[in-house]
Amino acid sequence: DKIDFTKPGAQEYINSIVNLYASWGIDYIKLDSVTPGSYNDNLDINNIPDVMAYSKAIAQSHRPIWLTISWALDEDYISDWQQYANARRIEGDVECEGDCPLLTEWPRVEVRFLDLPSWEHTSGPTLGWNDLDSLELGNGATDGITETEQQTAMTLWAMANAPLSLGGDLTKLTAFGKKALTNDEVIAVDQSGHPATQITAGFTPVWASNLGNGSYYVALFNLNALPSSVTFDWKDLGFQTAVSVRDLWSHTDLGPHAKSISAVLPGHGARLFRVQAAGHAPATPSQIYDGASAIL
């Protein structure tokens, strides 16, 4: 059954629900199984009117309630999602929900690296945010991913400026979980309002965001299971040298780095830096080939 929002009283009904939530002090609503999306490839069910109704209801409640819509939303309708919701889930669940022995597993985190690039230009302070689902972090032996993988997940979530929500018991966070989740420098990346874009792809992708004042956030990732060396040239961001580089996970100043930065990352590992740029890198020389004959 669906609500027909062309009928009198339909919007008022949703208003009554949101007003009740507001009276309870609720500040977060997630609408689940929203279509087009939720792996629904047709428009037999279209929940855009429902999302619109909740958006209107929140506005009339005069309480700043965050609205997230879920899950695996159809990107073809991004203008609707941007207009009516604070955030939208771009993929399925990180939690296994019985599909694997523990809370999650690495492939469920890794798929975010594959999905996020097509959404990377759709988020921002006036556009809403890409939600990568909950962080399975600090749950101990039940997590299903290592501490290295947990740090990698939080690095990607922060670079995406994704909402940070936890799926575990906050009263039983591990020491690692507490330390990671209270890292102010990493939280600042997530709250920067400058979501990152993928600069290089593959099994050692690099993501970066330009803060607009000569500073950049740069994250190096290793999606391989074994340690891998990752080198990133500053010219790919348009500058020649880094006058300062700070490791945000270790709170360590690494000094200037001319031309590039290199690191050996553990399997499924990541490094996160704040970089102060200097100098303008000339454009890479290119060759133009005449394609008039349409023959390769």
Side-chain angles (χ1 to χ4, degrees):
D1 297 327
K2 275 185 62 63
I3 296 174
D4 183 348
F5 286 99
T6 67
K7 302 295 185 181
Q11 181 64 53
E12 288 74 15
Y13 171 64
I14 300 299
N15 291 355
S16 72
I17 295 173
V18 172
N19 289 341
L20 180 61
Y21 292 162
S23 73
W24 292 343
I26 297 297
D27 56 15
Y28 179 99
I29 295 174
K30 184 182 84 168
L31 295 182
D32 209 353
S33 299
V34 172
T35 61
S38 298
Y39 292 158
N40 183 292
D41 294 327
N42 57 58
L43 291 178
D44 291 345
I45 302 175
N46 184 346
N47 295 136
I48 293 175
D50 303 76
V51 176
M52 185 189 310
Y54 270 87
S55 179
K56 290 179 179 178
I58 289 170
Q60 64 83 47
S61 75
H62 303 295
R63 179 174 177 80
I65 299 175
W66 179 278
L67 178 62
T68 285
I69 52 177
S70 181
W71 46 277
L73 272 296
D74 191 323
E75 192 178 353
D76 289 343
Y77 300 87
I78 184 61
S79 61
D80 294 295
W81 312 141
Q82 290 170 333
Q83 184 175 357
Y84 299 121
N86 298 100
R88 56 268 165 183
R89 281 267 305 279
I90 69 168
E91 239 305 336
D93 294 338
V94 166
E95 289 189 4
C96 287
E97 299 181 354
D99 293 335
C100 65
L102 301 172
L103 289 175
T104 191
E105 56 189 354
W106 171 249
R108 288 177 174 254
V109 174
E110 187 176 29
V111 73
R112 269 65 187 173
F113 288 90
L114 305 178
D115 292 330
L116 187 57
S118 67
W119 291 80
E120 62 184 10
H121 296 295
T122 66
S123 66
T126 63
L127 300 175
W129 306 99
N130 294 325
D131 191 327
L132 308 186
D133 200 18
S134 60
L135 280 170
E136 296 309 320
L137 192 155
N139 298 305
T142 63
D143 257 311
I145 54 176
T146 67
E147 291 182 352
T148 294
E149 293 166 344
Q150 293 172 47
Q151 181 171 297
T152 295
M154 187 164 175
T155 301
L156 181 65
W157 267 238
M159 289 296 283
N161 288 188
L164 302 181
S165 57
L166 302 181
D169 186 342
L170 300 184
T171 68
K172 298 179 180 179
L173 279 176
T174 64
F176 170 82
K178 292 179 182 177
K179 185 175 181 180
L181 293 166
T182 57
N183 186 321
D184 289 343
E185 293 187 80
V186 177
I187 297 295
V189 177
D190 184 75
Q191 297 181 347
S192 69
H194 293 275
T197 57
Q198 182 179 256
I199 309 302
T200 62
F203 288 101
T204 53
V206 176
W207 288 73
S209 59
N210 184 347
L211 303 183
N213 57 2
S215 295
Y216 294 80
Y217 288 129
V218 178
L220 313 182
F221 296 97
N222 176 24
L223 305 184
N224 296 302
L226 299 176
S228 298
S229 178
V230 182
T231 297
F232 180 68
D233 295 329
W234 303 134
K235 65 179 176 59
D236 291 336
L237 289 176
F239 61 90
Q240 288 183 325
T241 189
V243 296
S244 66
V245 176
R246 181 168 175 82
D247 187 314
L248 302 185
W249 277 113
S250 66
H251 306 296
T252 304
D253 290 320
L254 305 180
H257 278 61
K259 296 185 179 180
S260 65
I261 190 166
S262 296
V264 176
L265 305 184
H268 302 166
R271 297 282 298 276
L272 178 58
F273 307 104
R274 181 174 179 129
V275 177
Q276 186 64 40
H280 178 72
T284 303
S286 60
Q287 177 67 48
I288 297 175
Y289 294 93
D290 187 356
S293 63
I295 296 175
L296 297 179

